[in-house]
Amino acid sequence: MSPPPEHPLETPVTVAAPPLTDAPRRAWLGDLPVLAVAVVWGGSYLAAKGITTAHTVIAVLVLRFALVLPVLVVAGWARLRALTPAQLRGAALLGLVLGGIFLLETYGVVHTSATNAGLIISLTMIFTPLADAAVKRKAPSVSFLGAAAASVLGVVLLTQGAGFTAPGPGDLLILGAALARTLHVLLMARSEGVRGADPLSLTTVQLGGAVLVFALLAALPGTGATPWGAAADFGPAEWAGLAFLSVFCTLFAFFVQMWAVRRTSPSRVGLLLGTEPLWAAVAGIAVGGEHLGPLGYAGVVLVLVGTAWGRRAITAAPA
């Protein structure tokens, strides 16, 4: 499961212009690592489902992020020390929200399919512009509202496995995670405390705050297995899944985003990362052997079309 998107600042770099004949090839080579991030994020739902039970959710979250946090601290120590007290407080608050997002996502994916989880969470791309428009008291475009309607209808169809029934608890938890992601993005955009903060430092403090929340919950009685207890029960497959979530879906993903926005543009990076729901569906169906039925497949198409349409509508809208 992917962390909510960060917004690193672009750093203009002066370089010699490559020959025109090499430009498309160079752009494609630069896109490949970003596309790889979207693929591993799409696969993260299936990986989390494979190593997590309702009894080990908090333990797995502690292990996943505690493994990568020291690397982030060492990599950005100088910039971490440069954060102001206001930036630290703002990032810590965002870390609490981030912890809630991961709890909702991970408990959700335990109780629903990886395909459903990856597609429902993509509603963040619809919810965030709608919430931002509400805050600014600015009506969204008719085109975007059409995209939102298509996405919501797609999710309704997606959650109807054998007919029209109430969505399962896992689907509702993932929907809550999408709403929490929306809140996180709005807080990041509007929080004066974190404005201008280094993105690596901001992410490190947020993950530290989230890990602290998970560790405190793990210490409470009745919250499931302890991290060391869960780790002791892991076999090779579970350790491989945890390494995939920690190394590829967290460390690799973050550093590729940092590299890519300096090499290309945030819009191009966002467009490629927006293919995550497609890869979640591919992983769930092709690798996980999940079966959707006709209504489910219609829902997949509508969600993918709606989110892509919504992204295009936002890009085309005047500032």
Side-chain angles (χ1 to χ4, degrees):
M1 285 163 288
S2 58
E6 306 293 343
H7 302 282
L9 300 175
E10 274 195 274
T11 303
V13 179
T14 303
V15 295
L20 291 179
T21 54
D22 290 342
R25 183 174 65 86
R26 288 170 63 90
W28 172 242
L29 290 176
D31 287 345
L32 282 177
V34 184
L35 189 60
V37 170
V39 173
V40 298
W41 276 357
S44 67
Y45 301 95
L46 188 61
K49 189 173 182 65
I51 68 171
T52 312
T53 67
H55 189 63
T56 62
V57 166
I58 296 172
V60 168
L61 287 172
V62 172
L63 293 170
R64 173 182 174 179
F65 294 109
L67 288 176
V68 301
L69 194 57
V71 179
L72 292 176
V73 170
V74 171
W77 178 246
R79 285 171 288 183
L80 269 173
R81 294 178 62 188
L83 289 176
T84 66
Q87 289 171 334
L88 283 170
R89 288 193 298 271
L93 174 62
L94 289 169
L96 297 179
V97 180
L98 188 61
I101 292 168
F102 280 114
L103 285 168
L104 287 167
E105 282 188 353
T106 312
Y107 274 113
V109 80
V110 167
H111 296 290
T112 189
S113 68
T115 304
N116 279 24
L119 289 162
I120 293 172
I121 202 69
S122 71
L123 287 179
T124 304
M125 289 185 281
I126 298 297
F127 292 157
T128 302
L130 287 175
D132 190 49
V135 169
K136 293 178 179 177
R137 297 185 179 182
K138 180 181 178 182
S141 68
V142 173
S143 179
F144 181 81
L145 289 176
S151 296
V152 171
L153 177 59
V155 167
V156 170
L157 294 178
L158 182 69
T159 57
Q160 308 309 304
F164 287 98
T165 58
D171 299 321
L172 295 177
L173 286 169
I174 297 293
L175 185 62
L179 292 170
R181 278 197 186 194
T182 298
L183 174 63
H184 186 267
V185 172
L186 292 181
L187 287 174
M188 283 193 66
R190 295 181 171 275
S191 175
E192 294 290 339
V194 300
R195 194 157 294 172
D198 170 68
L200 175 58
S201 302
L202 184 60
T203 298
T204 302
V205 175
Q206 287 186 77
L207 287 181
V211 169
L212 179 60
V213 170
F214 304 148
L216 290 174
L217 289 174
L220 296 175
T223 54
T226 61
W228 48 89
D233 290 336
F234 275 3
E238 287 78 14
W239 280 112
L242 185 66
F244 175 76
L245 290 170
S246 298
V247 176
F248 290 98
C249 299
T250 307
L251 276 182
F252 169 75
F254 178 77
F255 284 110
V256 165
Q257 287 181 88
M258 289 282 291
W259 167 82
V261 294
R262 284 161 172 77
R263 181 185 177 96
T264 173
S265 71
S267 297
R268 191 176 181 92
V269 171
L271 186 64
L272 290 166
L273 294 180
T275 63
E276 176 192 345
L278 171 63
W279 302 114
V282 169
I285 296 168
V287 181
E290 297 175 352
H291 302 286
L292 299 180
L295 285 178
Y297 281 108
V300 169
V301 172
L302 278 173
V303 170
L304 294 176
V305 169
T307 51
W309 181 12
R311 185 180 293 275
R312 183 180 295 273
I314 289 296
T315 304

